[in-house]
């Protein structure tokens, strides 16, 4: 069967296809889960559907509070229409509490509150394992200039405040998250917008009362069912019915 449209890029969890109009792409969410730079892999039934809906929910919320992002509209259970951007090759990480690589690097207990939100960068390069880089590196290697970085920090902190509040409202603590930023042009004028996805794949989410993990650490650390964890997040946000659907077939509420 001939492919119905041109594939532009395939990553570990998503595929980008040519969109219906110039400057648009179709973002397809796969069920594949990877960790530790794809050394650990599995297919989690329903993950793509949940992340498509969750990313729509967060990006739409960001649009509603005036934070520019790539989301245009959801097309179906696994696909969304997005603006084509030129991705800045950085993972922009915001941390509110120590966890993961920060805890390891600094010997801090996971969950330790940080004195203020900390923004850090990794250079997006799978062959190198996404190494952490400083602002000096970012500017010296030309991935972004100082003005871009000021805008990136401002976007990242706005996303942090928004997500922290949304999650806090449903009894979830936002420990940290990663976003990606893209460039778009309106004529000669370049703007930076939030791109990629916002989902439990790219956040650390702990139940505010019990500390139970509701994010990809469940998969990274073999803590149980990833689909159950993501469904719980979707349920609390009102995107899944309270009693939940059978695993693998989440019945989303529109
Ligand atoms: P880290 O503690 O492993 O550096 O991760 C920080 C945050 O970034 C955490 O929310 C998970 C997210 N993240 C990604 O989205 N993709 C990645 O490749 C990595 C390593 C982390
Ligand atoms: N996203 C990375 C991978 O696919 C790492 C991670 O999220 O843990 O391997």
């Amino acid at each position: 069967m001939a492919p119905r449209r041109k594939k532009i890029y395939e990553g570990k969890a998503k595929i980008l296809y040519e969109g219906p109009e110039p400057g648009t792409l179709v973002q397809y969410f796969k069920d594949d889960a990877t960790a530790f730079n794809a050394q650990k892999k599995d297919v989690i039934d329903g993950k793509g559907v949940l992340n498509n809906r969750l990313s729509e929910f967060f990006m739409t919320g960001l649009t509603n509070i005036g934070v520019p992002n790539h989301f245009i509209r959801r097309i179906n259970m696994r696909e969304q229409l997005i603006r084509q951007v030129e991705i800045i090759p950085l993972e922009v990480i915001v941390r509110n509490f120590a966890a993961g690589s920060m805890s390891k690097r600094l010997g801090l207990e996971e969950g330790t509150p940080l004195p203020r939100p900390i923004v850090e960068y990794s250079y997006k390069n799978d062959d190198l394992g996404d190494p952490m880089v400083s602002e000096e590196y970012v500017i010296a290697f030309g991935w972004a200039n100082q003005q871009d970085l000021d805008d990136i920090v401002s976007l990242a902190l706005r996303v942090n405040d928004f997500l922290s509040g949304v999650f806090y409202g449903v009894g979830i603590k936002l420990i940290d998250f990663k976003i990606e930023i893209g460039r778009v042009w309106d004529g000669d004028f370049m703007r930076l917008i939030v791109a990629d996805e916002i989902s439990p794949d790219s956040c650390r989410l702990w139940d505010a009362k019990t500390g139970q993990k509701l994010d990809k650490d469940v998969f990274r650390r073999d803590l149980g069912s990833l689909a159950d964890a993501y469904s719980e997040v979707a349920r609390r946000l009102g995107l899944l019915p309270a009693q939940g659907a059978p695993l693998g077939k989440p019945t989303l509420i529109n």
Side-chain angles (χ1 to χ4, degrees), residues 5 17 23 37 40 50-51 55 62 65 73 109 116 131 133 135 151 166 177 180 189 200 205 228-229 238 253:
R5 59 194 164 206
Y17 296 99
N37 208 5
K40 182 179 164 89
L50 287 162
N51 281 355
S55 202
L62 288 174
I65 62 161
R73 66 183 160 82
E109 192 185 338
R116 56 174 222 184
V133 291
E135 286 205 2
D151 293 348
V166 168
F177 66 93
E180 295 183 24
F189 185 68
L205 306 171
D228 282 356
I253 298 170

Side-chain angles (χ1 to χ4, degrees), residues 12-14 55 59 87-96 118-124 126 130 156 159-160 163 174-181 194-205 216 220:
K12 292 185 290 253
K14 300 185 293 293
S55 202
M59 295 289 185
I87 282 284
I88 294 182
L90 295 175
E91 306 211 322
V92 178
I93 296 166
V94 182
R95 301 179 189 271
N96 298 306
I118 294 177
V119 180
E120 66 179 54
Y121 309 98
S122 295
Y123 175 47
K124 255 176 81 72
D126 280 344
D130 299 340
V159 173
N160 185 43
L163 291 179
L174 177 62
I175 302 296
D176 58 28
F177 66 93
K178 182 264 303 190
I179 51 172
E180 295 183 24
I181 304 288
V194 178
D196 189 49
E197 72 177 281
I198 299 177
S199 76
D201 266 12
S202 51
C203 300
R204 281 201 175 88
L205 306 171
K216 204 164 95 175
R220 293 189 190 97

Side-chain angles (χ1 to χ4, degrees), residues 14-250:
K14 300 185 293 293
I15 306 175
L16 295 175
Y17 296 99
E18 202 169 62
E21 293 145 37
T24 67
L25 295 174
V26 173
Q27 178 161 255
Y28 175 97
F29 287 77
K30 302 195 269 189
D31 279 341
D32 302 38
T34 66
F36 315 116
N37 208 5
Q39 288 176 61
K40 182 179 164 89
K41 282 189 216 182
D42 204 350
V43 176
I44 313 287
D45 255 0
K47 179 175 88 87
V49 172
L50 287 162
N51 281 355
N52 184 32
R53 183 69 186 91
L54 283 160
S55 202
E56 173 193 17
F57 176 81
F58 297 122
M59 295 289 185
T60 305
L62 288 174
T63 300
N64 289 342
I65 62 161
V67 178
N69 65 82
H70 73 167
F71 182 82
I72 301 173
R73 66 183 160 82
R74 185 157 59 87
I75 299 169
N76 57 42
M77 297 281 274
R78 287 189 181 275
E79 295 176 326
Q80 48 183 248
L81 187 68
I82 58 170
R83 265 192 89 165
Q84 184 163 26
V85 303
E86 185 185 297
I87 282 284
I88 294 182
L90 295 175
E91 306 211 322
V92 178
I93 296 166
V94 182
R95 301 179 189 271
N96 298 306
F97 299 86
S101 66
M102 171 182 260
S103 286
K104 211 177 248 175
R105 191 177 304 117
L106 302 181
L108 287 171
E109 192 185 338
E110 292 204 305
T112 307
L114 299 174
R116 56 174 222 184
I118 294 177
V119 180
E120 66 179 54
Y121 309 98
S122 295
Y123 175 47
K124 255 176 81 72
N125 184 314
D126 280 344
D127 294 340
L128 302 174
D130 299 340
M132 186 177 178
V133 291
S134 68
E135 286 205 2
E136 289 274 299
Y137 283 50
V138 174
I139 293 170
F141 291 111
W143 301 318
N145 63 27
Q146 186 63 58
Q147 177 63 57
D148 295 335
L149 280 173
D150 292 347
D151 293 348
I152 289 170
V153 168
S154 157
L155 283 170
L157 293 177
R158 290 179 78 192
V159 173
N160 185 43
D161 283 346
F162 170 73
L163 291 179
S164 294
V166 168
F167 282 123
Y168 184 70
V170 296
I172 292 173
K173 236 159 105 165
L174 177 62
I175 302 296
D176 58 28
F177 66 93
K178 182 264 303 190
I179 51 172
E180 295 183 24
I181 304 288
R183 296 178 193 280
V184 291
W185 276 270
D186 297 316
D188 281 347
F189 185 68
M190 189 278 294
R191 287 191 307 138
L192 298 178
I193 69 175
V194 178
D196 189 49
E197 72 177 281
I198 299 177
S199 76
D201 266 12
S202 51
C203 300
R204 281 201 175 88
L205 306 171
W206 294 6
D207 180 87
K209 282 211 185 89
T210 66
Q212 188 193 350
K213 293 180 174 47
L214 299 169
D215 58 65
K216 204 164 95 175
D217 274 349
V218 171
F219 171 72
R220 293 189 190 97
R221 304 178 188 189
D222 295 316
L223 300 176
S225 159
L226 193 72
D228 282 356
Y230 287 22
S231 298
E232 176 62 19
V233 173
R235 204 172 291 127
R236 290 197 196 183
L237 293 169
L239 307 177
L240 270 181
Q243 277 318 303
L247 261 193
K249 299 219 178 307

